[in-house]
Amino acid sequence: IVGILLRCNGYNVVDLGRNVELDAIADEALGVQDGVKASMIGMSGMISPSLGRMAEAVGIFRDRGLACPVLVGGSATSSAFCALFLDTLNYPGGIFRIA
């Protein structure tokens, strides 16, 4: 749904799909293949096991030098999760929960 809304407002959206390797997301955001860097990264978590992967992803993004905003959403995300597990990672691009 978010991808559709962004496309309708003129954004170029690259949807990597579900269960994507975290390094593949970082590679795409860094423009490893095509030289085009992401201006933001969006992740959705519909079930609670995906929350740990989101935190792991943000750590990888930080360690690989990414600094674009990360948008997180989905029914499993909460303000408490973001505060306890994402905000503590000190990601330089900022993490924004979309409710």
Side-chain angles (χ1 to χ4, degrees):
I1 296 172
V2 173
I4 293 169
L5 293 172
L6 289 170
R7 283 184 184 104
C8 288
N9 285 284
Y11 288 89
N12 178 33
V13 175
V14 177
D15 186 344
L16 298 178
R18 301 180 324 195
N19 300 319
V20 178
E21 291 295 322
L22 302 180
D23 279 319
I25 299 170
D27 286 347
E28 183 69 33
L30 287 165
V32 169
Q33 296 292 328
D34 60 9
V36 178
K37 292 186 177 184
S39 55
M40 72 178 89
I41 299 170
M43 296 185 291
S44 177
M46 302 308 287
I47 57 174
S48 56
S50 62
L51 300 177
R53 292 289 284 171
M54 281 186 185
E56 186 180 349
V58 170
I60 288 172
F61 301 159
R62 179 200 61 219
D63 294 346
R64 296 221 19 217
L66 283 163
C68 61
V70 173
L71 311 176
V72 297
S75 60
T77 61
S78 67
S79 297
F81 163 74
C82 290
L84 293 171
F85 297 102
L86 297 181
D87 294 343
T88 57
L89 295 171
N90 298 314
Y91 177 71
I95 301 167
F96 304 90
R97 178 175 169 259
I98 308 300

